[in-house]
Amino acid sequence: IKVAFARNLGITVTPNPVNNNINLNFNNVGRDKVTIHIMNTAGNLVEELTTANRSLVIPSQKLPNGIYEIRVVQNNEILDARKIVIQH
């Protein structure tokens, strides 16, 4: 996977810390589908979702409390990565 953080993609992840749902918005990622990877602090993939929408709501209830990285991937390229904290 290639990394391409330099572009201004208008990706937002709210709220942070998360206690219920993770809200993702993608303003400038084009029309192709994006894949969301949620990684734990050990670097393991704990959730993977794909969407063609410009926003996505991810329930956080099945994720234990902790720090995670959300990666936005498109065409085998990481467009952005954000840290989030899950606190139930």
Side-chain angles (χ1 to χ4, degrees):
I1 290 182
K2 207 170 126 183
V3 179
F5 293 122
R7 296 187 263 166
N8 181 10
L9 299 172
I11 296 170
T12 59
V13 181
T14 58
N16 198 2
V18 176
N19 62 11
N20 192 17
N21 291 323
I22 304 164
N23 301 298
L24 292 145
N25 292 296
F26 323 100
N27 294 325
N28 301 319
V29 293
R31 297 178 189 259
D32 292 338
K33 290 181 180 178
V34 294
T35 301
I36 307 304
H37 293 168
I38 300 178
M39 315 293 288
N40 63 18
T41 54
N44 298 318
L45 179 67
V46 294
E47 179 105 26
E48 180 178 76
L49 304 120
T50 301
T51 185
N53 297 326
R54 296 300 126 217
S55 64
L56 182 65
V57 176
I58 304 168
S60 68
Q61 290 82 4
K62 62 183 175 180
L63 295 171
N65 287 344
I67 299 171
Y68 295 85
E69 181 176 80
I70 294 183
R71 295 179 183 173
V72 180
V73 179
Q74 187 178 61
N75 299 323
N76 213 27
E77 182 176 53
I78 299 173
L79 302 179
D80 203 347
R82 305 287 173 97
K83 299 278 188 206
I84 61 164
V85 176
I86 304 288
Q87 288 181 328
H88 298 290

